[in-house]
Amino acid sequence: MTLELNQEQLEKMKSHPGFIAALDQSGGSTPGALADYGIEQDTYSGDDEMFALVHQMRTRIMTSPGFSGDRILAAILFEDTMDREVEGEPTVNYLWEQKQIVPILKVDKGLAPEQDGVQLMKPIPQLDDLLMKAKKKGIFGTKMRSFIKQANGAGIEAIVNQQFELAQQIIAAGLVPIIEPEVDIHCLEKAQAEALLKAAILKHLEQLQLSKEQWVMLKLTLPEQDNLYSDCIEHSSVLRVVALSGGYSQVEANERLDKNHGVIASFSRALTEGLTAQQTDAEFNTMLDESIQKIYQASLT
């Protein structure tokens, strides 16, 4: 028996204009995210201090006036963020009840070593327990990332196999999985890798046996060929196709997004570009609001 989705959140994700804010840097990428924010690694010690600082940064973003559900559909959270509070409320409750932003949880545990030109996800122990905890807290969906470095057919097939296998487990827990097989923007055969990826995704989508109330989302690198993923957008099992910024600047990510009709943003670095701990609240809020508006506009096409 599949647990039911929150219908109000489902309707928002299905039909509301906007984009997804990715606020899910985890242990491996957090020092870099803090450095970009103006907090160097030699100013804190240990994971506890690091995660407290990154939660302060995320809280500043989430409580900013421009960060609201009129332009932002959802926010992707790291488990540590889900377990903390914002302004005295559990983060998940704060996002949905105060901001009308759908909460999504990153569930992967990072990347395995490269093999066949790709990096699969590491095993996710106790995934069922994590999904049950997330569902109880009010999480709508999940995200899990793999990484494609080369146009290697066997490697890409292995990535998509793993993603869809875990997606079935997540769907059964009453959540909507975001499948994220990222293609490295520096891949020398990027267009070829994307063509192989699209073929593998479409094949697996056809094999999915989903009911009307079961969905997947796809989070993909902005492609070399405009509108490459239009078949995926139109597929009956796909709730949304969203794009990661993947290291592109905000300007380039928005330009590429604008050329891919029906795809919306799910940006992390491109969303927080230029934000620093040293800015006044007025400076911070103005810059974030401007970034949100630019990304929102690019997501409307």
Side-chain angles (χ1 to χ4, degrees):
M1 167 98 183
T2 300
L3 299 170
E4 287 187 4
L5 293 169
N6 179 315
Q7 289 300 309
E8 197 178 347
Q9 292 178 352
L10 176 62
E11 200 51 46
K12 175 152 197 169
M13 292 303 301
K14 192 188 294 186
S15 59
H16 201 281
F19 69 95
I20 297 174
L23 305 177
D24 59 325
Q25 297 93 349
S26 55
S29 55
T30 295
L34 284 173
D36 289 342
Y37 184 55
I39 300 176
E40 297 300 333
Q41 209 162 341
D42 59 6
T43 62
Y44 57 88
S45 60
D47 284 356
D48 287 350
E49 279 188 38
M50 178 180 75
F51 286 126
L53 285 168
V54 85
H55 189 66
Q56 287 174 21
M57 177 183 79
R58 289 171 179 150
T59 296
R60 196 179 187 195
I61 292 168
M62 288 186 276
T63 57
S64 186
F67 194 87
S68 65
D70 54 345
R71 294 177 295 180
I72 297 171
L73 298 179
I76 305 172
L77 310 174
F78 177 50
E79 185 180 358
D80 179 82
T81 310
M82 176 183 76
D83 290 340
R84 291 180 186 257
E85 293 186 344
V86 175
E87 295 193 336
E89 277 190 81
T91 304
V92 172
N93 296 23
Y94 177 82
L95 281 172
W96 181 241
E97 292 167 15
Q98 303 301 327
K99 296 281 191 162
Q100 287 73 58
I101 292 173
V102 176
I104 292 170
L105 176 68
K106 168 190 158 75
V107 294
D108 70 80
K109 301 298 181 187
L111 300 170
E114 183 180 341
Q115 186 174 347
D116 292 333
V118 305
Q119 288 181 272
L120 294 168
M121 289 178 279
K122 290 177 181 175
I124 310 175
Q126 288 88 48
L127 177 58
D128 281 332
D129 292 343
L130 177 59
L131 297 175
M132 188 179 300
K133 171 181 158 184
K135 187 72 179 170
K136 284 180 179 174
K137 283 180 178 278
I139 289 285
F140 172 81
T142 65
K143 192 210 81 163
M144 47 193 177
R145 173 178 172 264
S146 322
F147 198 55
I148 297 167
K149 293 185 171 182
Q150 298 173 23
N152 182 308
I156 290 170
E157 182 63 34
I159 284 245
V160 178
N161 271 336
Q162 184 190 42
Q163 284 276 358
F164 274 83
E165 191 175 312
L166 288 168
Q168 293 277 25
Q169 190 176 346
I170 291 160
I171 290 164
L175 298 160
V176 176
I178 298 179
I179 292 167
E180 184 185 12
E182 177 178 350
V183 177
D184 187 349
I185 64 169
H186 304 295
C187 174
L188 297 176
E189 309 155 311
K190 184 167 177 279
Q192 189 183 342
E194 287 164 347
L196 289 168
L197 176 61
K198 176 189 172 181
I201 288 172
L202 287 171
K203 184 181 83 174
H204 281 76
L205 284 172
E206 290 310 317
Q207 293 168 353
L208 275 180
Q209 301 292 317
L210 300 185
S211 73
K212 285 182 179 178
E213 288 300 296
Q214 294 176 321
W215 306 85
V216 297
M217 290 191 276
L218 302 172
K219 181 167 177 172
L220 305 167
T221 303
L222 288 155
E224 294 307 291
Q225 179 188 325
D226 296 343
N227 298 311
L228 176 68
Y229 296 113
S230 56
D231 291 347
C232 298
I233 294 167
E234 292 161 10
H235 197 282
S236 60
S237 296
V238 176
L239 185 60
R240 286 275 190 168
V241 175
V242 307
L244 56 103
S245 50
Y248 291 126
S249 69
Q250 186 188 109
V251 168
E252 184 170 0
N254 284 338
E255 285 174 354
R256 284 175 172 261
L257 180 60
D258 201 41
K259 296 173 184 173
N260 285 273
H261 305 300
V263 179
I264 65 169
S266 177
F267 293 171
S268 174
R269 277 171 289 182
L271 172 64
T272 58
E273 187 178 291
L275 299 177
T276 68
Q278 291 74 29
Q279 288 167 330
T280 65
D281 285 345
E283 291 167 340
F284 180 94
N285 291 337
T286 297
M287 178 167 276
L288 179 59
D289 184 70
E290 288 172 356
S291 292
I292 288 169
Q293 184 59 26
K294 289 171 187 171
I295 297 166
Y296 174 76
Q297 286 292 341
S299 297
L300 291 177
T301 54

